[in-house]
Amino acid sequence: ALPICWKKPEREKEEEQQRRAGPRRASLMSSSPLSKKRRVSDSEPKTGSYCSSAVSVRTDLSTAPANGMARNGNEAEIDEGLYSRQLYVLGHEAMKRMQDSSILISGMCGLGVEIAKNLILGGVKSVCIHDQGKAEWRDLSSQFYLREEDLGKNRAEACYSRLAELNNYVPVTSYAGQLTEDFLFKFQVVVLTNASLEEQLRVGEFCHDKSIKFIVADTKGLFGQLFCDFGDDMVVMDVNGEQPLSAMISMITKDAAGVVTCLDEARHGFETGDFVTFTEIHGMQELNNCEPVEIKVLGPYTFSICDTTKFSDYVRGGIVSQVKMPKKISFKSIKTSLAVPEFVVTDFAKFDHPAQLHLGFQALHEFQKKHGRLPKPRNEADAAEVLALTSAVNEKASDSLKQTQLLEDLIKELAFQASGDLAPVNAFIGGLAAQEAMKACSGKFMPIMQWLYFDALECLPEEKKEMLTEETCSPKNCRYDGQIAVFGSNMQEKLSKQKYFLVGAGAIGCELLKNFAMIGLATADGGEVTVTDMDIIEKSNLNRQFLFRPWDVTKMKSETAAAAVKQMNPSIRITGHQNRVGAETEKVYDDDFFENLDGVTNALDNVDARMYMDRRCVYYRKPLLESGTLGTKGNVQVVIPFLTESYSSSQDPPEKSIPICTLKNFPNAIEHTLQWARDEFEGLFRQPAENVNQYLTDPKFMDRTLKLPGSQSLEVMEAVYKSLVSERPRSWQDCISWACNHWHSQYSNNIRQLLHNFPPEQLTTSGAPFWSGPKRCPHPLKFDPHTALHLDYITAAANLFAQTYGIPGSTDRLAVIDILQAIRVPEFTPRSGITIHVSDQELQNANASVDDSRLEELKNGLPTPENVAPFKMFPIEFEKDDDANFHMDFIVAASNLRAENYDIPPADRHKSKLIAGKIIPAIATTTAAVVGLVCLELYKIVQGHQKIESFKNGFMNLALPFFAFSEPIAAPKNKYYENEWSLWDRFEVRGMQANGKEMTLREFLDYFKNNHRLEITMLSQGISMLYSFFMTPAKLQERLDQSMTEIVTRVSKKKIGRHVNALVFELCCNDDDGNDVEVPYVRYTIR
């Protein structure tokens, strides 16, 4: 998920770019907010009437059009187990509107089936697939649900059953008749692919007239086209999908345009034209819960609002919250828009292409109408005719569209490739088209206005394009004919012999494997795809990991995915592994494995694994294709040996962490209480049990614990003592008693102690209220077993506590209440002399003195392991997706109770799971589009492209919609003497010499002195220091005549595995003048 692709901007610009378009890597976006900038879930306009109507907006949605945008009448439950990751992208309301929408997709070639797949996975009401044509060889280039035995059958009927398997909630039907007006009227959205211009105009005009949303999608080889018409009065409920922002207020002036100043520790992030409302303001009560008011941004911490001159004086405090306002937009019909088009630019380096391709696609339709076929691949006569037809279309074009000069090479290339059918281009355009259909149904996100054109001509050979001839690109009556039409038969042979390593078989991995099968990667002798993933399939995967079915749940992802793509293309040579990539599997993925690869493709969900694979690819000098998604955002990065920087060359800023004191005593956002609840979970149900088990089984545990820094040793010992002695339960009733006492400790006693230290009316040394700004004054809660949230907490906490001791729990809430009635909680009185730190700085400065007498008391009070045996505890690993395990029950209850302490609006289970579980929102459309771009880069790698400008790093945000492509950043160059080097360079040193003996340390040092004029001052291997200039003479003398591998073995205290052919040494060197110089690493070959 993550993103993205160009050189990072200055920090001042970065926050805004990340919020509006996404971070460099989708996978890195944090759900943790800044302590003074909050995200709020309540985006409904507030009631009130103080602000002038001239600057506030209320949109009446009662007139929203009936087709696909009416308020949802079907209150059917949404299966959150299946749709959870997509729900975090779209939200429940948008999903409900989608569930009211029936969609027709006409044309079941590769593009049509891609759109259908994405929409069925997305969960619309129903999908009807339509096609009157029969399957032919070239369809198999990208139509992944057609088989060779389907040739000659109706395309829609042949792939219907396979599409219907994708989602049990979405009925799928097939239709092979005419698209009559009566038939079209049944649908809320109509998508045409592979249709003539006459059909597009006929259907499009009817749909516009009847308020049916209409989409045209088409691909021709490396070219793509998309058109949207969602009617005269489309209402967009949320233009960008970002969570509404919130900020804390420090001042509001009384002016004709009142100026609001936010606390200066975090930028407010608003834009001019945003709408906001206010809460919790002391003084100026007129603004609290006012109707949404439009703002004008004055600076990063200030903005102006309506006339506040007649309002009460501002005193202090307050929260300003962004309100998402519905936006009404109007579309032209296809007939009108064809003549006066608006374009969404996908690549700003090709800003002049859309208008040219708009004319060229019309010319192709003319050619097909005239000849009953598309232009032949690489046929000069056909291309010349298409060029002439384009010129004729241009002559008749409106003034706004007419081109002063046609890009003849571009138009001819369009003609050459018109019969091409490429899976990656279909994946990209199909992902976009399906997202537009979802926008049409749901009113979520900004639609494409109204034409989008795309081309990837950089995929063609860099040199010798004349090698692509009519003969090499002509149909061969094989499944790759659609691809051969673009790249020729020689390229097909290269693809078939590739050896690729795919790391990950999740959403991106599934899409990659589908594309690999379609393009014919590794389908001949010598070819091989190795895919590894150690995860099993879960229900929530089925919404976008489309190679898996409900009956595959609990199976291994890699094996299941490999078997599924073998069905799509039986020729693919693929092996599934269940290994995690890392140091522990380098015996499997060793020198021989990597050296035989042609490239690596990452489909990972975490940065650590990405960086590990990046290091391996740099070391073995293998191309790496990297990608990630985060909701509607996606990125692609291509790493080419000796040409580009690597994935690790640039990194995002570290995530902002929540200050400890904020979590512990001064939360002001639901994110804070959720993180606190997660920490509680770990500190109650995992860490103590792990420590107890170590105490009982590891004789060195006590020694290690007593050596821990600061107060950690006392904290660990207290926890072990509680678990084994003072709080060890013997029955279910004891577990309930523990939960009840813990409830009182956290939600009443600790709060009362905090208020004892800092009373509500307390002032700071400067005279300002202590409880102001980000510090919200809490209040203790009174326990009531009949309050649902209180009982939720007790039931979940008691069951989890019981699990750690192997005691059977219960979900009988009435029985729990009965037990609670008999529990007597000790009275609590706040004490003086208790220190509560106000800031992390104060916490760090405090001298953490350990009470040695208490440590000794705990140590002596613990039973010996022998006396407790065979007792052990059962640590609980947090698992967010199992609704029956009490984990999320505890998190939601613990967080919302603390939120109630501090008057923070609570979060429902859905939002709590997103934040506490650090879930990366995901949707099939983005994944498909991103992987399409990845595989376009794969074409270039297989052909051996060597110009950096040929490659494209890409970033997209389908919600906006926004696209950006840039050439990769070149590998930075370093220099010593006159030798230039980059991260791809290294010193190659053969350890075994001609005499059959291995090089000694003395010989190694001499080699660099004599051959490279470098004096090594320090030499290391991994974390082992092998040599340094400050070594003692005795140790140096001992090592100088030892072999390098002997030194490595002795210092690291590890044997060198037989699978290791070479070692990596890092050097610090001086040049002839005694200056430090930076040099590459050493690859020291030992076998």
Side-chain angles (χ1 to χ4, degrees):
L2 251 3
I4 299 309
C5 61
W6 49 79
K7 288 181 181 175
K8 287 180 288 189
E10 298 85 347
R11 187 71 193 115
E12 285 73 15
K13 299 175 185 173
E14 190 161 13
E15 281 185 10
E16 184 59 25
Q17 288 191 343
Q18 286 190 351
R19 184 171 72 82
R20 293 292 171 180
R24 178 177 169 268
R25 296 190 186 97
S27 58
L28 282 181
M29 180 164 270
S30 169
S31 58
S32 301
L34 304 176
S35 60
K36 295 190 180 179
K37 180 168 115 184
R38 301 194 291 146
R39 296 191 178 278
V40 292
S41 58
D42 184 7
S43 57
E44 291 301 309
K46 305 293 189 293
T47 57
S49 57
Y50 283 109
C51 281
S52 161
S53 60
V55 288
S56 82
V57 172
R58 295 283 284 177
T59 302
D60 181 9
L61 295 182
S62 60
T63 58
N67 261 297
M69 288 303 302
R71 284 190 180 85
N72 187 55
N74 175 17
E75 292 300 322
E77 285 295 310
I78 295 170
D79 186 341
E80 291 191 2
L82 175 65
Y83 293 118
S84 66
R85 304 312 189 258
Q86 180 175 297
L87 277 166
Y88 293 122
V89 181
L90 298 176
H92 282 77
E93 290 307 310
M95 276 289 296
K96 285 177 182 175
R97 286 191 287 270
M98 277 172 50
Q99 288 181 339
D100 270 357
S101 300
S102 297
I103 299 181
L104 169 68
I105 303 163
S106 175
M108 277 296 113
C109 296
L111 179 58
V113 79
E114 182 68 46
I115 298 168
K117 177 258 290 178
N118 292 330
L119 288 172
I120 294 166
L121 290 172
V124 295
K125 182 179 180 180
S126 67
V127 169
C128 177
I129 56 173
H130 166 259
D131 202 311
Q132 292 184 294
K134 291 184 166 64
E136 49 193 81
W137 275 113
R138 78 183 200 101
D139 295 329
L140 300 184
S141 295
S142 65
Q143 221 288 20
F144 46 88
Y145 284 150
L146 288 179
R147 310 285 182 259
E148 289 190 19
E149 57 267 27
D150 295 324
L151 293 173
K153 297 178 185 174
N154 177 276
R155 280 186 289 250
E157 291 170 2
C159 67
Y160 151 77
S161 61
R162 296 178 186 111
L163 282 168
E165 286 178 358
L166 285 168
N167 189 341
N168 292 332
Y169 290 105
V170 180
V172 179
T173 55
S174 68
Y175 177 67
Q178 296 290 328
L179 295 181
T180 63
E181 292 185 354
D182 286 346
F183 183 75
L184 292 169
F185 196 68
K186 300 175 186 176
F187 301 98
Q188 280 72 50
V189 182
V190 171
V191 183
L192 294 188
T193 72
N194 203 32
S196 68
L197 183 58
E198 287 78 8
E199 184 76 343
Q200 292 173 11
L201 291 168
R202 179 184 72 83
V203 174
E205 290 302 299
F206 172 79
C207 289
H208 188 85
D209 186 51
K210 301 298 180 185
S211 297
I212 298 169
K213 312 296 189 296
F214 178 65
I215 296 170
V216 172
D218 207 354
T219 61
K220 305 291 182 191
L222 290 165
F223 296 88
Q225 177 194 50
L226 194 56
F227 169 78
C228 298
D229 168 17
F230 299 160
D232 293 323
D233 51 1
M234 166 79 173
V235 177
V236 179
M237 310 301 234
D238 180 353
V239 295
N240 61 20
E242 299 297 324
Q243 283 293 317
L245 292 169
S246 181
M248 293 184 174
I249 299 166
S250 63
M251 183 61 197
I252 306 175
T253 65
K254 292 177 75 169
D255 285 306
V259 175
V260 179
T261 305
C262 299
L263 290 177
D264 61 4
E265 287 190 19
R267 297 156 181 257
H268 54 62
F270 298 131
E271 290 184 348
T272 296
D274 284 350
F275 285 79
V276 299
T277 189
F278 299 86
T279 53
E280 300 185 25
I281 295 173
H282 293 262
M284 209 169 278
Q285 290 291 326
E286 296 88 345
L287 283 176
N288 281 333
N289 299 310
C290 71
E291 292 209 5
V293 56
E294 189 172 358
I295 67 168
K296 179 182 179 183
V297 170
L298 304 175
Y301 309 103
T302 56
F303 58 87
S304 62
I305 52 171
C306 54
D307 186 347
T308 57
T309 52
K310 295 179 181 176
F311 291 179
S312 315
D313 289 341
Y314 173 81
V315 177
R316 62 184 169 87
I319 296 170
V320 56
S321 301
Q322 184 184 21
V323 179
K324 293 294 185 81
M325 302 300 291
K327 182 175 182 178
K328 192 174 278 192
I329 52 178
S330 181
F331 291 78
K332 303 185 188 89
S333 71
I334 186 169
K335 185 176 181 181
T336 306
S337 186
L338 193 68
V340 191
E342 293 176 70
F343 300 114
V344 169
V345 178
T346 54
D347 188 342
F348 291 99
K350 305 174 180 178
F351 69 93
D352 53 345
H353 283 201
Q356 300 272 339
L357 293 175
H358 190 69
L359 301 169
F361 267 82
Q362 292 179 62
L364 277 183
H365 285 296
E366 285 287 324
F367 182 98
Q368 194 168 10
K369 181 180 177 183
K370 180 179 176 183
H371 296 282
R373 64 171 175 84
L374 288 165
K376 294 175 185 173
R378 298 285 151 188
N379 182 285
E380 290 289 346
D382 284 359
E385 186 175 345
V386 170
L387 184 59
L389 288 168
T390 307
S391 183
V393 173
N394 190 41
E395 284 300 313
K396 299 174 186 172
S398 63
D399 292 342
S400 62
L401 175 60
K402 186 173 289 187
Q403 303 297 296
T404 54
Q405 188 173 355
L406 290 178
L407 300 176
E408 295 190 2
D409 287 346
L410 180 69
I411 302 300
K412 286 182 72 175
E413 202 57 63
L414 176 64
F416 285 154
Q417 298 183 31
S419 61
D421 187 22
L422 300 177
V425 178
N426 287 333
F428 178 69
I429 297 296
L432 269 58
Q435 188 66 63
E436 293 307 302
M438 289 183 183
K439 293 175 186 179
C441 302
S442 66
K444 182 92 172 186
F445 310 137
M446 194 64 170
I448 286 172
M449 301 290 290
Q450 286 187 249
W451 293 91
L452 177 146
Y453 287 93
F454 171 79
D455 72 78
L457 294 179
E458 304 81 18
C459 294
L460 293 172
E462 286 179 324
E463 310 291 344
K464 302 180 182 174
K465 283 190 185 171
E466 63 273 9
M467 288 173 60
L468 296 176
T469 64
E470 189 171 357
E471 183 181 350
T472 60
C473 296
S474 63
K476 308 292 188 276
N477 284 339
C478 76
R479 67 176 303 128
Y480 309 113
D481 277 354
Q483 188 164 265
I484 289 170
V486 178
F487 294 112
S489 50
N490 293 340
M491 168 69 162
Q492 198 58 51
E493 190 175 342
K494 285 182 184 176
L495 283 164
S496 70
K497 293 179 179 177
Q498 294 290 301
K499 289 188 177 71
Y500 257 77
F501 186 26
L502 171 58
V503 189
I508 288 176
C510 284
E511 290 287 341
L512 281 164
L513 286 174
K514 175 252 290 180
N515 278 277
F516 287 176
M518 291 297 97
I519 68 176
L521 192 78
T523 51
D525 288 344
E528 176 77 16
V529 172
T530 304
V531 55
T532 188
D533 195 310
M534 65 286 190
D535 284 348
I536 61 168
I537 298 162
E538 299 173 359
K539 183 181 178 182
S540 64
N541 301 149
L542 304 179
N543 172 237
R544 63 207 179 282
Q545 299 175 22
F546 83 106
L547 296 180
F548 309 140
R549 300 290 174 269
W551 52 86
D552 294 323
V553 170
T554 73
K555 293 180 185 175
M556 298 304 299
K557 284 186 176 181
S558 55
E559 290 177 352
T560 309
V565 292
K566 286 281 278 184
Q567 292 288 314
M568 293 178 176
N569 184 351
S571 300
I572 190 169
R573 302 182 181 212
I574 183 167
T575 307
H577 292 181
Q578 292 82 48
N579 301 318
R580 182 189 302 274
V581 291
E584 67 273 17
T585 53
E586 286 179 8
K587 288 183 180 178
V588 181
Y589 308 121
D590 56 11
D591 292 353
D592 292 340
F593 175 83
F594 269 97
E595 283 162 4
N596 283 322
L597 291 176
D598 291 299
V600 175
T601 313
N602 276 352
L604 290 159
D605 62 358
N606 69 88
V607 174
D608 289 342
R610 284 180 163 106
M611 294 184 79
Y612 172 80
M613 287 309 301
D614 181 60
R615 290 194 299 272
R616 299 293 274 171
C617 288
V618 170
Y619 176 72
Y620 291 106
R621 296 167 167 174
K622 299 297 177 184
L624 172 66
L625 289 165
E626 169 58 55
S627 57
T629 69
L630 177 72
T632 58
K633 304 174 186 117
N635 73 285
V636 177
Q637 182 179 356
V638 58
V639 178
I640 305 295
F642 301 103
L643 202 60
T644 72
E645 68 172 12
S646 75
Y647 174 85
S648 308
S649 296
S650 54
Q651 296 177 32
D652 292 311
E655 292 184 16
K656 297 270 183 164
S657 58
I658 305 170
I660 295 169
C661 289
T662 299
L663 286 176
K664 207 165 182 181
N665 296 307
F666 308 112
N668 58 61
I670 198 67
E671 288 84 358
H672 301 162
T673 66
L674 281 163
Q675 183 59 54
W676 179 87
R678 278 290 281 115
D679 293 346
E680 273 276 280
F681 186 98
E682 297 295 313
L684 294 173
F685 311 123
R686 186 176 72 84
Q687 290 162 357
E690 287 179 349
N691 288 333
V692 165
N693 289 345
Q694 285 185 45
Y695 168 71
L696 297 176
T697 58
D698 184 355
K700 296 180 180 178
F701 171 77
M702 188 64 75
D703 290 339
R704 279 202 316 271
T705 300
L706 295 176
K707 290 175 184 173
L708 290 171
S711 60
Q712 288 182 40
S713 55
L714 187 59
E715 289 169 6
V716 171
M717 290 297 289
E718 289 275 14
V720 172
Y721 183 81
K722 282 181 181 178
S723 298
L724 282 177
V725 183
S726 61
E727 293 184 356
R728 180 177 171 181
R730 305 290 174 175
S731 65
W732 169 236
Q733 287 80 1
D734 287 350
C735 296
I736 293 173
S737 178
W738 171 88
C740 183
N741 279 292
H742 195 72
W743 188 102
H744 281 83
S745 173
Q746 297 293 47
Y747 303 111
S748 178
N749 303 352
N750 289 352
I751 300 298
R752 286 163 65 192
Q753 181 67 56
L754 181 63
L755 292 173
H756 176 78
N757 283 40
F758 306 109
E761 65 281 358
Q762 172 128 347
L763 300 178
T764 64
T765 52
S766 63
F770 177 85
W771 294 105
S772 62
K775 290 187 177 69
R776 302 173 70 87
C777 186
H779 64 273
L781 304 183
K782 184 172 175 56
F783 183 71
D784 179 358
H786 299 287
T787 298
L789 187 60
H790 297 197
L791 192 58
D792 288 345
Y793 180 91
I794 298 296
T795 307
N799 272 283
L800 291 167
F801 192 61
Q803 283 175 34
T804 63
Y805 287 91
I807 295 171
S810 170
T811 54
D812 186 340
R813 292 167 73 94
L814 292 176
V816 170
I817 292 173
D818 287 342
I819 295 168
L820 285 168
Q821 308 285 9
I823 295 171
R824 294 291 168 261
V825 178
E827 279 295 320
F828 174 80
T829 304
R831 292 182 293 154
S832 298
I834 300 290
T835 301
I836 296 176
H837 300 294
V838 175
S839 69
D840 283 12
Q841 190 63 49
E842 189 180 304
L843 180 64
Q844 287 170 10
N845 294 340
N847 289 320
S849 58
V850 178
D851 185 343
D852 290 328
S853 62
R854 177 60 180 160
L855 257 181
E856 196 62 29
E857 182 186 337
L858 290 168
K859 186 178 175 183
N860 295 331
L862 284 173
T864 63
E866 294 76 20
N867 289 341
V868 184
F871 172 79
K872 71 170 185 175
M873 291 188 69
F874 303 92
I876 300 175
E877 291 286 337
F878 178 68
E879 170 49 59
K880 60 188 176 294
D881 285 322
D882 181 353
D883 286 338
N885 65 6
F886 297 106
H887 297 197
M888 280 308 304
D889 296 328
F890 175 82
I891 297 292
V892 173
S895 170
N896 284 341
L897 284 166
R898 189 160 174 82
E900 190 179 338
N901 277 139
Y902 286 86
D903 294 312
I904 296 167
D908 62 16
R909 187 185 186 91
H910 182 68
K911 182 177 180 181
S912 298
K913 186 190 284 192
L914 170 71
I915 298 168
K918 296 184 177 175
I919 289 173
I920 297 173
I923 191 166
T925 48
T926 313
T927 309
V930 161
V931 170
L933 297 179
V934 170
C935 291
L936 290 174
E937 298 307 303
L938 176 61
Y939 282 143
K940 302 169 189 177
I941 292 171
V942 172
Q943 291 175 89
H945 283 25
Q946 281 304 314
K947 296 177 181 176
I948 198 166
E949 60 269 23
S950 296
F951 295 95
K952 294 275 188 182
N953 285 350
F955 168 67
M956 68 180 82
N957 185 343
L958 300 187
L960 297 180
F962 172 78
F963 306 90
F965 294 94
S966 65
E967 71 180 48
I969 298 171
K973 296 287 186 182
N974 299 297
K975 202 172 187 181
Y976 69 95
Y977 297 128
E978 296 306 312
N979 303 302
E980 265 197 346
W981 63 278
S982 74
L983 65 109
W984 298 99
D985 294 300
R986 62 192 177 214
F987 295 111
E988 294 280 0
V989 178
R990 290 202 63 81
M992 298 305 293
Q993 300 176 89
N995 61 9
K997 292 183 179 179
E998 192 196 339
M999 190 179 277
T1000 64
L1001 175 57
R1002 188 191 304 276
E1003 289 166 336
F1004 186 89
L1005 298 175
D1006 289 345
Y1007 170 82
F1008 276 88
K1009 186 70 176 170
N1010 300 330
N1011 290 45
H1012 299 287
R1013 294 163 52 206
L1014 293 170
E1015 180 185 355
I1016 296 176
T1017 55
M1018 282 193 283
L1019 171 66
S1020 62
Q1021 192 260 337
I1023 59 171
S1024 302
M1025 181 65 72
L1026 308 182
Y1027 163 80
S1028 67
F1029 68 91
F1030 49 78
M1031 242 176 203
T1032 61
K1035 186 182 280 190
L1036 176 59
Q1037 200 58 41
E1038 179 191 346
R1039 288 192 185 174
L1040 279 173
D1041 294 319
Q1042 290 177 348
S1043 70
M1044 298 299 290
T1045 53
E1046 186 181 354
I1047 297 171
V1048 168
T1049 305
R1050 286 192 177 187
V1051 176
S1052 68
K1053 297 177 182 173
K1054 292 178 184 174
K1055 289 184 178 178
I1056 298 169
R1058 291 186 177 181
H1059 63 283
V1060 177
N1061 295 333
L1063 300 173
V1064 172
F1065 296 144
E1066 300 285 346
L1067 308 176
C1068 289
C1069 296
N1070 287 346
D1071 61 14
D1072 290 338
D1073 299 325
N1075 298 318
D1076 281 347
V1077 286
E1078 200 172 340
V1079 296
Y1081 69 92
V1082 177
R1083 184 173 184 267
Y1084 180 81
T1085 308
I1086 58 175
R1087 303 191 208 286

